[in-house]
Amino acid sequence: MFSDTPDMHSSTPETDALREAIFAYARTRMAYDPVPLDSPQTLEFLKDHASGTVTEQGMGGIQALKVFDEVLAPACLSTDHPGYVSFIPTAPTEAATLFDLVVSASSIYGGSWMEGAGAVFAENEVLAWLAAEVGLPETSGGVFVQGGTLGNLSALVAARHTAAGERERAGLPRPLRWKFICSTEAHSSLKSAAAVMDVDIIKAQVDGEGRLTGEAVRSALAEAGDGVFAVVATAGTTNFGIVDRLREVGEIAKSNNLWFHVDGAYGLAAILAPETRHLFDGTELADSFIVDPHKWLFAPFDACALVYRNPSLAKAAHTQHGEYLDTLTESGDWNPSDYAYNLTRRVRGLPLWFSLATHGVSAYRKAVSQNIQVAKEIGEYIRGRADLRLVREPELSVVVFEKLGWQLADYQAWSDKLLSSGTGLVVPSSHQGRPNTRFAIVNPATTTHLLVEMLETME
Ligand SMILES: *Cc1c(COP(=O)(O)O)cnc(C)c1O
């Protein structure tokens, strides 16, 4: 007797029913307009209401779906709710979300060309389009990784590997410490990358508007001493949406033979909008850049597009060598796993590809522009109110403001009220020790009208 396929891998009336129930759930979730915001829950509540689901015998899919629908899902915030404007929200198009279901249903291995050529080809079409917008040559290329944190780390690993190789070929010893330069307003993921890589960060000061300038990089370089391998500019800071002086910074990096990385996880999407495109002048100098489709390119979690000017430098740094992999690595094919700190990967660029193919680039330009317009309008409204003050002029779609006289506890109480009424999520933030709050607008359903309504409840 040979063994049978276990029941859970066979098609049965139960799996047929479950398939229909799951599709019905997904259909209902996608048709909400607007989706309920929902709210976080305590561990105690969830222990009381959703413990004991993992058992030897199983509870059945319909029952498990019921637990998710009635207890677990309502205990998760809908980050695509129009009033969710904290952190960086998400606002996937329907086409992108639908195609995420297809990706899940398709068991495509996205690490190698041999296994996933069709999907990898489509992902690369998207990366090539982004590279062209940014101004990188046709020979550039990269990979969709999980998020900007992994994208930044992977780019910096490639940068150091390249610098180490150059030193070795020049007969120079390794520096005591490797270092990279970024601004004081750069994203926290760079600090994480530095910790993982055991390298130092040289923080360059920003100007009065929160921007990294060429001058600041020059001073940082003068102080840094030996071992600098990269300069990182931020194309849209997470806190304020400020774009560094990319051309100045890039030119100084180039003239010092340093890798120039552009962290555009949030803001680089605004290169698509005609009114903000000029801010990104100089991106074409980048050796690598990232932009997160799950932030401002209307794709679902989780996806970061990571692109290198010269992908062979990334490949030299990242390719994994193992006996069972040799048949792939020796093929000469384009294997996405070679271009980042990853091996097995979901083809997470496909939802964006499908949505772009469906709607066309110009729909993306319009959607990004609309978010910027809303930021401008709410900025003007705030300027017109005597009790509110803009902390900085909005440049992209982040608006940071204070209510005069408010302490952190006031912002928190207001935030709690908005959340408990299901209106929105607007958590407190701070700048230089002063509490404030912030709208991050990346959802085309987030209207100026809705934001004004929220501001009218600040009392
Ligand atoms: C969000 C963000 C990151 C990190 O991206 P994740 O996808 O959250 O890992 C890095 N840099 C900037 C500028 C960001 O806004």
Side-chain angles (χ1 to χ4, degrees):
M1 272 297 276
F2 297 127
S3 56
D4 289 329
T5 301
D7 274 356
M8 69 176 180
H9 283 83
S10 315
S11 191
T12 62
E14 285 75 28
T15 54
D16 290 347
L18 188 55
R19 191 181 309 124
E20 293 316 310
I22 291 285
F23 287 152
Y25 178 89
R27 206 174 276 124
T28 303
R29 172 60 176 83
M30 274 185 264
Y32 278 130
D33 184 22
V35 63
L37 178 61
D38 294 328
S39 53
Q41 279 296 355
T42 62
L43 180 59
E44 285 67 35
F45 175 91
L46 290 171
K47 274 186 172 163
D48 284 350
H49 292 83
S51 282
T53 50
V54 178
T55 62
E56 249 342 287
Q57 296 309 318
M59 68 198 299
I62 298 293
Q63 195 55 31
L65 180 59
K66 195 167 140 75
V67 175
F68 181 75
D69 186 15
E70 293 177 1
V71 184
L72 303 175
C76 302
L77 291 179
S78 302
T79 59
D80 56 345
H81 184 279
Y84 184 112
V85 287
S86 282
F87 313 113
I88 304 284
T90 191
T93 65
E94 178 113 3
T97 300
L98 286 168
F99 214 71
D100 207 39
L101 297 179
V102 173
V103 171
S104 289
S106 302
S107 298
I108 297 166
Y109 180 81
S112 77
W113 183 266
M114 195 264 273
E115 290 154 284
V120 171
F121 176 82
E123 285 187 305
N124 288 349
E125 292 277 289
V126 179
L127 295 174
W129 163 67
L130 287 169
E133 287 288 332
V134 164
L136 291 200
E138 277 179 24
T139 47
S140 64
V143 56
F144 285 94
V145 294
Q146 171 262 326
T149 298
L150 199 50
N152 281 335
L153 173 66
S154 298
L156 288 166
V157 166
R160 180 178 59 181
H161 188 269
T162 302
E166 281 169 4
R167 277 179 91 109
E168 204 175 306
R169 281 190 297 280
L172 293 168
R174 279 178 162 257
L176 280 178
R177 296 290 298 167
W178 287 109
K179 300 158 194 173
F180 67 83
I181 293 173
C182 66
S183 93
T184 50
E185 303 235 347
H187 189 264
S188 53
S189 56
L190 293 169
K191 195 169 164 193
S192 282
V196 171
M197 295 170 71
D198 188 28
V199 303
D200 295 336
I201 296 185
I202 307 295
K203 286 271 172 86
Q205 290 307 312
V206 292
D207 68 9
E209 293 175 302
R211 245 179 268 283
L212 180 62
T213 63
E215 200 45 53
V217 174
R218 210 172 279 120
S219 329
L221 263 175
E223 277 170 36
D226 188 35
V228 178
F229 66 92
V231 180
V232 180
T234 307
T237 58
T238 322
N239 282 334
F240 286 99
I242 298 294
V243 182
D244 289 344
R245 292 268 178 249
L246 300 173
R247 177 167 299 286
E248 289 176 23
V249 174
E251 279 171 357
I252 290 170
K254 298 282 97 173
S255 64
N256 287 276
N257 191 31
L258 298 172
W259 186 287
F260 177 41
H261 176 63
V262 174
D263 177 0
Y266 151 66
L268 188 51
I271 200 170
L272 298 177
E275 63 272 37
T276 44
R277 189 174 185 93
H278 66 278
L279 296 169
F280 299 90
D281 173 55
T283 49
E284 73 274 14
L285 300 172
D287 291 295
S288 55
F289 72 83
I290 63 162
V291 56
D292 278 1
H294 64 220
K295 283 183 171 168
W296 204 4
L297 285 173
F298 316 111
F301 300 129
D302 44 21
C304 164
L306 163 62
V307 178
Y308 303 92
R309 168 180 300 277
N310 183 350
S312 67
L313 299 177
K315 187 172 175 176
H318 286 295
T319 301
Q320 294 189 23
H321 298 278
E323 287 166 343
Y324 82 107
L325 297 171
D326 285 347
T327 182
L328 296 176
T329 45
E330 288 164 9
S331 66
D333 288 337
W334 182 275
N335 296 320
S337 59
D338 290 344
Y339 299 96
Y341 187 72
N342 63 181
L343 184 60
T344 296
R345 61 180 292 277
R346 173 185 182 81
V347 282
R348 54 170 53 81
L350 278 198
L352 174 57
W353 164 75
F354 184 74
S355 184
L356 270 172
T358 299
H359 296 294
V361 172
S362 87
Y364 278 73
R365 296 192 198 287
K366 277 196 202 112
V368 171
S369 283
Q370 186 254 13
N371 293 144
I372 293 166
Q373 186 56 32
V374 169
K376 214 172 251 150
E377 287 167 8
I378 200 65
E380 256 145 48
Y381 172 85
I382 288 169
R383 210 175 293 113
R385 257 186 52 176
D387 59 332
L388 300 177
R389 190 183 74 86
L390 285 172
V391 177
R392 271 188 191 143
E393 281 303 307
E395 184 158 88
L396 301 180
S397 70
V398 176
V399 183
V400 185
F401 57 97
E402 298 176 349
K403 175 151 168 96
L404 302 187
W406 268 26
Q407 307 300 319
L408 186 61
D410 300 304
Y411 290 101
Q412 189 60 59
W414 178 60
S415 176
D416 292 346
K417 207 169 59 180
L418 289 174
L419 180 58
S420 65
S421 64
T423 312
L425 183 77
V426 194
V427 301
S429 185
S430 70
H431 182 58
Q432 296 176 342
R434 284 170 69 103
N436 60 38
T437 193
R438 168 179 168 280
F439 292 150
I441 303 156
V442 299
N443 188 339
T446 302
T447 60
T448 310
H449 183 73
L450 173 70
L451 297 175
V452 167
E453 270 183 358
M454 291 205 269
L455 290 177
E456 281 170 350
T457 69
M458 270 188 135
E459 51 198 21

